[in-house]
Amino acid sequence: MTYCVGIKLNAGLVFLSDSRTNAGLDQISTFRKMMVYERPGDRFMVLLSAGNLSISQSVREILQVEKVDNGTGVPLTIWNATSLFDAVRVLGSAVRRVYDQDGPSLKASGIEFNASFIFGGQIGNEAMRLFLVYSAGNFIEATRETCYFQIGESKYGKPVLDRMITPLTPLDEAAKCALVSMDSTLKSNLTVGLPLDLVVYDAHALHSNQIVCIDEQNPYFQMIRTTWGQRLRQVFESIEDPQWKGGEANAPLVVASPRYESMKKITHPGEKII
């Protein structure tokens, strides 16, 4: 019951999350899915979570103190990691620790160990990085070909991201696209809900003040919701209708396929089409 998206661009990073964890008829629960870890001038990291709330909350709590043997005598933490790859290793270790302590009890109660995370940011002079972390603590990294990750109810907001987002997309345009993606999800799925948390990070800044909580009264998001719906309707209506009776059309629908035959009708019980 959530939707989160993280986008990595040449210009920086965009993170957006909703805050709904329950959407029953008489109860709607709200918990934030985003955590920001910042030491200005040294590191900036953002964690988004989806899945079982008790698992994700435990992982977030443990992550701040989790230590991983680095073979150097000094345990690795998210605060002394010299690369985001090492920091996400710490996150994976935190996920596995929660699994070790809670997994058997959850399984005995018939509950799946279900949690996923988006983790991204920048440490020192290293390039920005963005990771998708699975329930087992393993992870993959965003690339130029796949420069965004989604977790939770991703299907409704994916089309606009696929059409619009490339590594060259400007930060403000990417933030707008993420909000349109979220609006599409809110429109189609009641398990995703306001308020939203939005963070925009400029490359190499190692801090961000572009952080906002968006509720139903936010004028920019109200404008997004109204304008996007109106413009979609206008574009839809500007597309010509299919012509079935041979009328003039710029793009005819009823044309013979060079490869496939038209569908055949079955007209009596003994007829076969194969």
Side-chain angles (χ1 to χ4, degrees):
M1 292 185 179
T2 191
Y3 175 50
C4 302
V5 58
I7 305 170
K8 189 184 85 167
L9 311 161
N10 293 348
L13 298 160
V14 175
F15 300 92
L16 179 65
S17 63
D18 85 311
S19 58
R20 181 164 293 177
T21 58
N22 184 64
L25 293 176
D26 58 356
Q27 181 181 2
I28 294 177
S29 300
T30 298
F31 291 88
R32 280 187 155 148
K33 321 290 179 59
M34 180 184 295
M35 294 291 291
V36 179
Y37 307 92
E38 178 184 281
R39 184 184 289 154
D42 176 55
R43 65 195 59 216
F44 179 86
M45 300 170 291
V46 176
L47 176 69
L48 307 177
S49 60
N52 185 292
L53 182 61
S54 67
I55 295 172
S56 60
Q57 286 188 339
S58 295
V59 169
R60 284 160 46 171
E61 187 73 19
I62 291 173
L63 177 60
Q64 297 193 56
V65 297
E66 180 72 353
K67 298 178 180 179
V68 173
D69 183 8
N70 201 29
T72 62
V74 179
L76 187 67
T77 72
I78 62 169
W79 299 108
N80 67 13
T82 58
S83 72
L84 210 71
F85 181 85
D86 284 341
V88 78
R89 285 177 53 208
V90 179
L91 173 57
S93 176
V95 174
R96 287 187 287 271
R97 183 194 287 199
V98 174
Y99 177 80
D100 289 341
Q101 69 183 27
D102 294 342
S105 297
L106 290 171
K107 184 176 181 180
S109 299
I111 300 173
E112 181 183 358
F113 189 88
N114 175 32
S116 55
F117 304 86
I118 294 173
F119 186 65
Q122 190 168 25
I123 295 177
N125 294 322
E126 185 194 37
M128 297 175 299
R129 303 179 80 170
L130 183 69
F131 295 90
L132 175 61
V133 183
Y134 299 103
S135 296
N138 57 324
F139 50 85
I140 59 174
E141 183 172 4
T143 64
R144 293 189 64 81
E145 294 75 25
T146 304
C147 61
Y148 73 86
F149 288 131
Q150 300 168 286
I151 52 177
E153 289 289 352
S154 60
K155 54 185 175 292
Y156 305 104
K158 192 174 188 297
V160 66
L161 295 172
D162 284 339
R163 290 180 181 275
M164 300 303 300
I165 295 298
T166 74
L168 298 176
T169 303
L171 270 177
D172 288 342
E173 187 174 308
K176 176 174 63 176
C177 187
L179 289 169
V180 170
S181 174
M182 180 65 75
D183 175 62
S184 299
T185 306
L186 291 170
K187 183 71 173 176
S188 299
N189 194 311
L190 291 177
T191 67
V192 179
L194 298 166
L196 314 175
D197 288 307
L198 173 67
V199 171
V200 176
Y201 171 76
D202 290 298
H204 309 297
L206 297 176
H207 73 91
S208 177
N209 293 323
Q210 299 177 89
I211 301 175
V212 63
C213 179
I214 299 170
D215 63 13
E216 61 276 0
Q217 303 301 323
N218 185 279
Y220 185 82
F221 193 62
Q222 286 183 340
M223 179 274 294
I224 286 280
R225 306 198 78 172
T226 302
T227 305
W228 183 244
Q230 290 175 345
R231 297 293 171 83
L232 275 179
R233 171 59 63 180
Q234 291 172 6
V235 171
F236 177 80
E237 291 176 349
S238 71
I239 299 173
E240 66 178 356
D241 296 333
Q243 297 293 328
W244 293 98
K245 298 180 179 179
E248 292 201 11
N250 293 323
L253 172 66
V254 185
V255 295
S257 169
R259 182 175 179 184
Y260 301 103
E261 295 180 352
S262 295
M263 181 67 67
K264 292 182 178 180
K265 300 177 182 178
I266 295 178
T267 58
H268 58 82
E271 189 170 3
K272 305 293 183 182
I273 63 171
I274 298 176

